[in-house]
Amino acid sequence: MPAPGGGWLTAGMTTRSEGTGISVQGLTKKFGDFTAVDDLSFEVAPGRVTGFLGPNGAGKTTTLRMLLGLIRPTAGEALIGGRRYAELPQPMSTVGSALEATGFHPGRSGRNHLRVLAATHGIPDSRVDELLDLVGIPAAARKKAGGYSMGMRQRLGLAAALLGDPDVLLLDEPANGLDPEGIRWMRGFMRHLAAEQGKTVLVSSHLLGEVEQTVEDVVIIANGRLARRGTMDELHGDPAVLVRTSDPGALGHALESAGLSAALDQEQGPDALRVGTGDLRQVGDIALAAGQPVHELRPLRTDLERLFLELTESPEHRNRNLSTGQEAA
Amino acid sequence: MISLVRAELRKYFTTRLAWSMPLAMAVLGALFAALQGLFLAVIGEFPSPDGTMIEPAAMFGEDAVARLVYTGAVQMGYLLALVLGILSMSGEFRHKTITATLLAAPRRGQLIGAKLASIVVVVAVNALAFTAGSILGGAITLSIGDLPLFPDPGGLLATFARMVLVLVLWGLMGFGLGVLIPNQVVALFVGVGVTLLVEPLLGLGITFVDQLADASKYFPSQASMSALDLFAGIDPSLAQSLGGSEDALSWWVATLVLLGYAAVMAALGWILTARRDIA
Ligand SMILES: Nc1ncnc2c1ncn2[C@@H]1O[C@H](COP(=O)(O)OP(=O)(O)OP(=O)(O)O)[C@@H](O)[C@H]1O
Ligand SMILES: [Mg+2]
């Protein structure tokens, strides 16, 4: 429940219309002599959906847990709306979170799990039922949580996050374990939260494809360090398509006279052209009009996709705990 | 704070434990009180000072026998109370609900306070079930032995009140143990093992050490027996034949000792919880 808005009472505080942002400054966490998060700094803009990306073991969950006061940072600060989580007067009404490995008592029903959480904030049971309807498990939530599928657990976790009608949502790999239908539902849901309700959403994932259609900004980390951040458009760079033909010179000429940039792409072979557009149909039409055959036509990876692939594939960026032997600093 | 206590109570009342534990309390209370009654009111005989065998009621008085019978199960009772206390925190780690709990109640000191308060309520409710079971089991054997059921109602009421208090204090001790040892199985094992095995053995061991011979009366189980004040009005040397110690603590000192244990355990729980990373 949002706090009753009162003129002078809220003056100077972050109000709903301005939204609540997140700020991470010099955040570091060491487990023994292993550095899981390393001098990490970034901001999450209010009212936007930000993807928090990184390969397995990059430190995403650890960062989110520090934001939520579950893990004590070795150094640095993680603030939500300018405050530490434990200092928020009614935390669930400011921040809703669904973390990995959040458990449910197997003998307690999902509905009762939510009722327990609701009791901490004086939230009525009617709100619990409202949310169970919203996430689509009103009947199943009356059964014991021990028998829940992964999808039901994720939905229940999401309902818990939304209980206090928070301004900020922190979602840790919300699509994990969901089937394609579930993932589609989750994407639509996040978009709905950000677009229609103006909530700040920070959603983590180790798969770019899982969130790229949903998020506006991205923060990418690897080995606990910031790798890249920016808006989705900035990081994607300009779209490009690859077209393969028998006479690249002739087709290149036709494309250029239609106002598109075209260049030989040696990486892809002698017969490949890289065209500066995202529009496959236009390239195909131009080729047809020019009487040139098309052997292959597909979109090329964007800068962001290449960067992400590099991060996940290069051994030096893999989870250092998983790799064997001594790791080079 | 009140809302956190309410949430903790809701936690307890929404699992099977809410009815299985009081049931176990009542059944074990009845069983062991009846067993005690069997020996003290039905078949038991003691050698009297002149060598003949006499019944306990004749030797200790009907008041004392009733007290001893009704509290005959107290060891079971405080062990279960200990378990309740242990489960409060270690259950959160076992089922990984601690994350959700701390997200809803991030000020950990307040959470501990709420948990302690809820343990007092929950153990008190269970202790009532336990007392009811003990009264039932005890009364059956007392009446078989043709002894009055409530010879000294006021005194018995005080005994029952002390029994509830002792159980509550054990619940609080269990809480500290559950925080100290987040692995639930290990915590239960250690809690029950120390009470049933280590404490008696240690108590026996130190009787051979002069400087420590007195210490065992401060041990939790011994102090609990003293706190019940079962042997009021009985000659100390006679009390010994029933398992009381000769120079036992007075009931209120014993209560303070238990309170001390509970406070130390709860404080340990407090400090450890405040610092622990929940990963
Ligand atoms: N409590 C802990 N003790 C020791 N090491 C830890 C602890 N928690 C996390 N780590 C290590 O810190 C690193 C970062 O882990 P984290 O869970 O934050 O990664 P992640 O980005 O969430 O990965 P994933 O995509 O697999 O969820 C990992 O190498 C992990 O093994
Ligand atoms: Mg993770």
Side-chain angles (χ1 to χ4, degrees), chain B residues 40-98:
Chain B
L40 289 181
V42 184
I43 56 172
E45 284 188 332
F46 280 76
S48 72
D50 58 24
T52 58
M53 303 298 278
I54 59 171
E55 288 173 0
M59 195 153 108
F60 309 111
E62 291 171 344
D63 290 2
V65 167
R67 267 202 307 267
L68 287 165
V69 169
Y70 288 133
T71 58
V74 70
Q75 205 177 25
M76 283 295 132
Y78 61 61
L79 273 176
L80 290 180
L82 186 78
V83 168
L84 272 175
I86 290 174
L87 292 181
S88 173
M89 199 52 141
S90 66
E92 300 254 13
F93 284 99
R94 180 179 161 93
H95 302 300
K96 299 199 175 120
T97 48
I98 184 68

Side-chain angles (χ1 to χ4, degrees), chain A residues 31 34 36 54-63 100 173 206 319 321, chain B residues 279:
Chain A
F31 294 110
F34 175 76
N56 288 131
K60 303 179 295 291
T61 301
T62 306
T63 303
E100 253 180 358
E173 312 252 4
H206 62 280
N319 181 348
N321 270 6

Side-chain angles (χ1 to χ4, degrees), chain A residues 24 26-31 36-40 59-80 83-86 99 170 224, chain B residues 277-278:
Chain A
V24 170
L27 200 62
T28 302
K29 180 65 191 183
K30 295 190 171 145
F31 294 110
V37 175
D38 192 358
D39 195 19
L40 183 63
K60 303 179 295 291
T61 301
T62 306
T63 303
L64 293 178
R65 283 185 174 265
M66 285 193 277
L67 258 170
L68 293 165
L70 295 168
I71 293 181
R72 174 192 288 254
T74 309
E77 237 180 2
L79 303 178
I80 299 165
R83 296 190 197 205
R84 282 191 288 149
Y85 185 78
L99 289 181
L170 303 182
Chain B
D277 279 346
I278 308 297

